[in-house]
Amino acid sequence: MRNAAKITTAVLAAGALTLGLSACGSGSNSAKDSADAPLTVAASPVPHAEILNYVKDNLAAKAGLKLEVKEFTDYVTPNTATEDGSVDANYFQNQPYLDDFNKKKGTHIVPVTTVHLEPLGLYSQQAKSVKDIKKGATVGVPNDTVNEARALKLLDANGIIKLKDGVGNEATPGDIASNPKNLKFKELEAAQLPRSLGDVDAAVINGNYAIEADLKPAEDALVLESPKNNPYGNFLAVKEGKEKDPRVKKLAELLVSPEVKKFIEDKYDGSVLASF
């Protein structure tokens, strides 16, 4: 039923460079950007591509939108592909992550509309509660700047560690002021954390990767982020200057429609929360 092209990270790393050089050399493609052309969106498989495919299968045709979904398994290529024009937009990230990415990579990606929140959670195959985590235990955390800081803030908010005052979105284990359980931290690529649960005592896992691994954040997480005043909502994003593309506007409207809100509520049962 779905036409999403599943592309491995290894292939994309090489392909994005080739496409990027081609895009830089060819300039704007008016046919590709016309109102009748398909809008190609890069997305993480779960829940982003699932939400987009719901729109594609149920709402897009009536709105006069041709939608193509490409699934990416990493947090880098969707932005580089959007920057070089390999795709028209992406849907996978939050504002702190995008700010950090633009700063470090020199990209020009901007948000269009916020759709949902995936609460970050602490999971364990051994401990049934935070109290069961032993002293000296090893905790896996994402190795990208923003998600590592977010993970540490989650642990801080639940009294597991104490971060130094004023620590922002670049916090690392070196910014821990108090560590009563003498926890050790293992930094891993976010996508690897669910598969590494058997090798660590606990791990802080992004919501999309938890769902992909058949974890239920609302039920299985030892602690879970609160949605209240949460800055980590995931949004549709484009390269600066493409916000007014009629196709992008159509998709943005559909992504915050009552139909999509109901789809999110019914399918994810509290593990993904609509932000509108």
Side-chain angles (χ1 to χ4, degrees):
M1 186 175 182
R2 293 175 179 167
N3 252 346
K6 291 199 173 185
I7 306 172
T8 64
T9 304
V11 173
L12 286 168
L17 177 59
T18 302
L19 288 168
L21 293 172
S22 173
C24 289
S26 61
S28 176
N29 187 331
S30 58
K32 181 178 180 294
D33 292 339
S34 71
D36 296 328
L39 184 73
T40 303
V41 184
S44 296
V46 180
H48 310 78
E50 291 181 341
I51 294 170
L52 287 169
N53 277 310
Y54 170 80
V55 171
K56 177 181 177 181
D57 295 339
N58 297 277
L59 306 174
K62 186 176 180 180
L65 175 67
K66 297 176 183 177
L67 184 61
E68 292 184 359
V69 184
K70 287 191 176 182
E71 296 186 12
F72 290 69
T73 59
D74 71 302
Y75 284 169
V76 175
T77 318
N79 274 337
T80 56
T82 303
E83 178 75 11
D84 68 31
S86 303
V87 299
D88 300 300
N90 68 56
Y91 173 33
F92 77 100
Q93 65 192 319
N94 56 57
Q95 192 67 58
Y97 179 84
L98 177 59
D99 290 344
D100 182 71
F101 192 96
N102 279 335
K103 180 180 178 180
K104 290 181 176 177
K105 302 292 185 181
T107 46
H108 308 84
I109 313 300
V110 295
V112 177
T113 190
T114 301
V115 183
H116 77 270
L117 171 72
E118 301 157 28
L120 202 71
L122 176 68
Y123 300 84
S124 175
Q125 292 182 349
Q126 302 169 24
K128 299 299 182 184
S129 71
V130 169
K131 292 180 180 179
D132 295 332
I133 297 176
K134 299 177 181 178
K135 288 190 175 182
T138 298
V139 178
V141 293
N143 65 0
D144 65 272
T145 302
V146 170
N147 281 306
E148 181 172 48
R150 185 180 174 189
L152 295 173
K153 287 181 179 180
L154 174 67
L155 300 180
D156 175 274
N158 287 275
I160 301 168
I161 61 171
K162 175 65 177 175
L163 290 171
K164 297 174 183 175
D165 291 340
V167 170
N169 292 323
E170 296 184 357
T172 71
D175 294 306
I176 296 174
S178 175
N179 185 0
K181 288 181 177 285
N182 194 29
L183 300 176
K184 299 177 179 65
F185 294 92
K186 187 173 184 178
E187 298 167 315
L188 296 168
E189 186 180 350
Q192 295 179 357
L193 285 164
R195 299 192 295 271
S196 301
L197 267 178
D199 301 321
V200 294
D201 298 291
V204 181
I205 302 175
N206 290 74
N208 60 312
Y209 292 132
I211 296 168
E212 280 185 60
D214 294 325
L215 294 168
K216 297 180 179 179
E219 298 176 14
D220 297 333
L222 304 185
V223 295
L224 199 63
E225 273 183 324
S226 169
K228 186 176 181 181
N229 299 321
N230 196 303
Y232 296 105
N234 285 202
F235 46 67
L236 179 69
V238 298
K239 185 174 183 179
E240 188 175 5
K242 203 158 187 171
E243 306 95 311
K244 295 182 180 180
D245 185 321
R247 301 168 302 161
V248 172
K249 287 185 174 182
K250 284 182 182 178
L251 178 57
E253 291 173 0
L254 294 176
L255 282 172
V256 294
S257 65
E259 294 88 345
V260 168
K261 185 172 186 177
K262 186 175 187 306
F263 172 78
I264 291 173
E265 291 173 346
D266 291 347
K267 184 171 181 63
Y268 301 109
D269 193 27
S271 294
V272 176
L273 306 172
S275 298
F276 55 93

